[in-house]
Amino acid sequence: MISISDEKRFCYITRKIELTTAITDFICFKKYIEENKEIQKNTKEKILKTINTTLEYFENELYILKKEYLIFCYPLEDRKNL
């Protein structure tokens, strides 16, 4: 039988994979935009600003997720040793 803790771990791991994949995709997209010569400079700047804002959001979400994972999935005694 799956415990609540196991279920929470699965949810956190799944969300971590989603966020990590999104970050990787946006980094690749950012590199593509930076190297694309056909995009006008002002358009490129707007797109890159949006990408950077989105990346910052995803990275913050990942940081929060890691903290929540430690709090909800590990007993206090175990967290002290991490």
Side-chain angles (χ1 to χ4, degrees), residues 32 35-40 44:
Y32 168 77
E35 294 174 356
N36 191 325
K37 305 282 188 224
E38 297 176 12
I39 301 174
Q40 294 179 351
K44 188 181 281 192

Side-chain angles (χ1 to χ4, degrees), residues 12-28 55 58-59 61-63 65-66:
Y12 285 118
I13 290 168
T14 302
R15 182 69 178 137
K16 181 180 177 185
I17 291 169
E18 292 170 346
L19 285 169
T20 304
T21 302
I23 289 169
T24 303
D25 290 347
F26 270 86
I27 290 170
C28 291
L55 279 171
F58 285 152
E59 289 166 353
E61 285 291 309
L62 191 58
Y63 176 79
L65 185 72
K66 287 177 183 178

Side-chain angles (χ1 to χ4, degrees), residues 2 7 25 29 35 51-52 59 64 66 73 77 80:
I2 297 176
E7 188 175 326
D25 290 347
F29 184 55
E35 294 174 356
I51 290 172
N52 288 333
E59 289 166 353
I64 292 167
K66 287 177 183 178
C73 295
E77 309 82 54
K80 291 178 182 177

